[in-house]
Amino acid sequence: MTEPTHDEAHSGALGSRLNWLRAAVLGANDGIVSTAGLVVGVAGATDDRGALLTAGLAGLLAGSMSMAAGEYVSVSTQRDSELAALALEKRELRESPDAELEELTGLLEERGLTRDVAREAAVQLTERDALKAHARVELGIDPDELTNPWHAAWASFLAFTVGALLPLLAIVLPPAQVRLAVTVAPVLAALVITGWSSARLGAADPRRAVLRNVAGGALAMGVTYAAGSLLGAAGV
């Protein structure tokens, strides 16, 4: 059995990087599914390349901007909460240092240390950096690794855009006769990859994740294509 590395066992930065990677995979997956559903639906109604390109680009831009804005708002809220918690902890350390030292000792005891060892560790951590010690042990926050809403927004924007480009290019580049097949095949293949990747990042069973991902994407394309075909037949 391989011994865990220092990063695997202790690094919060590694967990943060894995979260960003997972978010990027899921963002790309959203771009693939939503754009594929859109362009396949339009393809069911018309063969016009200009209409397909317009719809695909509109979906790509709307989706990527929506993802970026949503991620920015979400992460900004999280960051504000983290900053507020750190400010409160800083005030408590200034006003009640003895009580905070006792609290840190208790938290370390809950993690399996004996009373004497927990007290000594709490004293040393407090002397080194009291705020950082309480932030990590009590709040689960690393003051040096606070979430950045702009990083999150750009990551979501780029991930969605990369994912959306696959079905967009696949639907507009080939001849009309093979357009649908050329789009569906790589989209399903890409969904296999994103499903497997998200499962591996979450230490889950890849087979179930891939099956759910592919089934969801196929269903989305099937429903939108049927709707587009009905609207096209009706002359809408």
Side-chain angles (χ1 to χ4, degrees):
M1 181 181 295
T2 309
E3 290 296 325
T5 65
H6 178 78
D7 278 347
E8 287 172 334
H10 306 292
S11 174
L14 177 62
S16 178
R17 288 195 297 271
L18 288 176
N19 285 335
W20 285 120
L21 186 55
R22 187 179 297 112
V25 170
L26 295 177
N29 191 78
D30 287 344
I32 294 168
V33 174
S34 61
T35 307
L38 176 62
V39 296
V40 166
V42 175
T46 178
D47 287 334
D48 183 68
R49 193 186 304 270
L52 291 170
L53 180 60
T54 300
L57 281 175
L60 184 155
L61 291 173
S64 58
M65 292 298 293
S66 176
M67 286 282 292
E71 197 70 16
Y72 180 84
V73 170
S74 174
V75 175
S76 292
T77 301
Q78 179 184 344
R79 185 182 177 88
D80 290 344
S81 298
E82 291 173 343
L83 290 173
L86 289 173
L88 176 60
E89 196 63 39
K90 189 175 183 178
R91 189 181 71 202
E92 291 176 344
L93 284 166
R94 183 175 63 251
E95 296 175 353
S96 309
D98 292 338
E100 290 299 299
L101 179 60
E102 183 61 32
E103 181 182 34
L104 183 58
T105 301
L107 291 170
L108 293 173
E109 277 190 277
E110 291 175 4
R111 297 192 173 192
L113 299 180
T114 64
R115 173 70 185 181
D116 290 342
V117 174
R119 183 70 176 188
E120 179 62 26
V123 169
Q124 292 189 25
L125 288 170
T126 300
E127 290 175 349
R128 183 175 302 170
D129 191 327
L131 180 59
K132 183 177 290 187
H134 280 266
R136 288 178 171 175
V137 177
E138 181 181 347
L139 304 176
I141 298 173
D142 186 344
D144 298 328
E145 295 287 340
L146 293 180
T147 51
N148 187 313
W150 285 109
H151 290 172
W154 278 110
S156 295
F157 179 88
L158 292 174
F160 188 97
T161 300
V162 169
L165 282 173
L166 173 64
L168 175 58
L169 294 176
I171 202 76
V172 299
L173 294 180
Q177 309 91 284
V178 296
R179 185 173 287 157
L180 193 61
V182 169
T183 301
V184 171
V187 163
L188 294 181
L191 292 178
V192 169
I193 295 172
T194 56
W196 182 87
S197 300
S198 62
R200 296 296 296 172
L201 288 170
D205 182 0
R207 292 169 297 181
R208 289 187 178 183
V210 168
L211 181 60
R212 286 194 301 263
N213 218 31
V214 172
L219 179 62
M221 289 187 288
V223 169
T224 56
Y225 182 76
S229 297
L230 290 174
L231 291 173
V236 176

